[in-house]
Amino acid sequence: MTTGIRVAVIDDHPLFREGVTRSLSEIDGFEIVAEGSSRDDAIRIAEELRPDVMLLDISMPGGGLNAIPLILQVAASQKIVILTVSEANEDVAAALRDGAKGYILKGIGARALAEVIRTVASGESYVAPTLSAKLLTGRLFDPGPAKSDLVSALTPREQEVLHLVAAGMSNKQIARKLDLHEKTVKHHMTQIMAKLNVANRTEAAMVLRDALELAPPQSMKD
């Protein structure tokens, strides 16, 4: 028997927490290993149980955003997905900068939530598309001209993948469009993020956006 993705749910609203727990428990491939309601609960669960993915609210005792760096201090590889009602640009940016791998809103359905958890558990990052658009237009990540120059140093295939990421495509969608294996796309994304010195797909897309603004179209090709 293969073990499902081990998930912890941290939220100080018992009814919501129980609803998420019940919904995920009814979907194959998930195991709820812990529940909590505060920053301290989140830190303790990360340190003692090491779930594959932790769902973390922002508004709770101790603060969810404050919890992120503290969780990563005791469990550096912990994958954190913020599940909240907050659409504030500064909350999204702070969560991603501090090390969260995902940011989604509480209106999400159970099946979509399960897919996000699978995505993050596999090593990718995920931000709700509407929030990604706000980040890009709000210029919350300021990569600067030096990083923008790095885009032209990417290989043609890496630039192609980056453009599709900026268009909101997942690795699976990019693989289908470019007729590649998904593992190959993941490799390209790893190389892209390393070369651009960014932490996630949203920041990579932001670097591309700035590069396109600062340079003539020709310099972005070949």
Side-chain angles (χ1 to χ4, degrees):
M1 288 280 186
T2 57
T3 306
I5 296 172
R6 302 170 66 255
V7 180
V9 183
I10 316 296
D11 193 293
D12 66 338
H13 291 88
L15 285 177
F16 179 81
R17 189 174 67 240
E18 290 165 13
V20 171
T21 298
R22 185 171 57 252
S23 296
L24 290 176
S25 297
E26 292 172 354
I27 299 174
D28 288 342
F30 293 93
E31 177 190 356
I32 305 301
V33 295
E35 296 180 38
S37 61
S38 68
R39 177 192 65 186
D40 292 345
D41 286 344
I43 296 167
R44 174 181 54 78
I45 289 167
E47 185 171 21
E48 295 178 1
L49 298 177
R50 305 294 170 110
D52 298 316
V53 176
M54 177 176 285
L55 299 179
L56 186 66
D57 190 18
I58 285 180
S59 298
M60 63 181 183
L65 291 178
N66 295 333
I68 297 172
L70 299 175
I71 290 168
L72 296 177
Q73 279 179 20
V74 301
S77 62
Q78 179 64 67
K79 296 180 174 71
I80 299 169
V81 174
I82 298 296
L83 178 57
T84 180
V85 297
S86 174
E87 298 183 48
N89 285 357
E90 56 269 26
D91 287 343
V92 183
L96 296 176
R97 285 176 178 143
D98 284 347
K101 298 300 183 185
Y103 196 109
I104 49 181
L105 301 176
K106 283 188 173 181
I108 193 170
R111 294 286 170 183
L113 174 60
E115 190 57 38
V116 171
I117 293 172
R118 290 189 192 100
T119 296
V120 171
S122 74
E124 295 185 48
S125 298
Y126 182 91
V127 178
T130 54
L131 299 178
S132 293
K134 286 175 67 178
L135 282 175
L136 294 178
T137 56
R139 301 180 67 85
L140 290 177
F141 295 109
D142 183 14
K147 282 189 180 179
S148 297
D149 291 344
L150 295 177
V151 174
S152 60
L154 299 176
T155 67
R157 178 62 91 186
E158 288 168 351
Q159 289 191 29
E160 192 173 17
V161 169
L162 181 56
H163 275 81
L164 295 175
V165 167
M169 287 191 180
S170 67
N171 283 355
K172 188 176 294 185
Q173 292 169 323
I174 293 170
R176 278 200 295 261
K177 184 173 180 63
L178 299 181
D179 195 23
L180 299 172
H181 290 295
E182 188 175 352
K183 189 182 296 185
T184 302
V185 177
K186 286 183 179 180
H187 173 72
H188 284 313
M189 276 310 305
T190 299
Q191 293 296 106
I192 289 166
M193 289 190 290
K195 290 179 180 180
L196 299 182
N197 192 26
V198 296
N200 54 59
R201 299 162 74 88
T202 302
E203 289 189 53
M206 187 67 227
V207 172
L208 174 64
R209 179 181 180 276
D210 278 11
L212 292 173
E213 286 182 354
L214 292 168
Q218 264 84 332
S219 66
M220 295 280 87
K221 301 182 189 288
D222 301 327

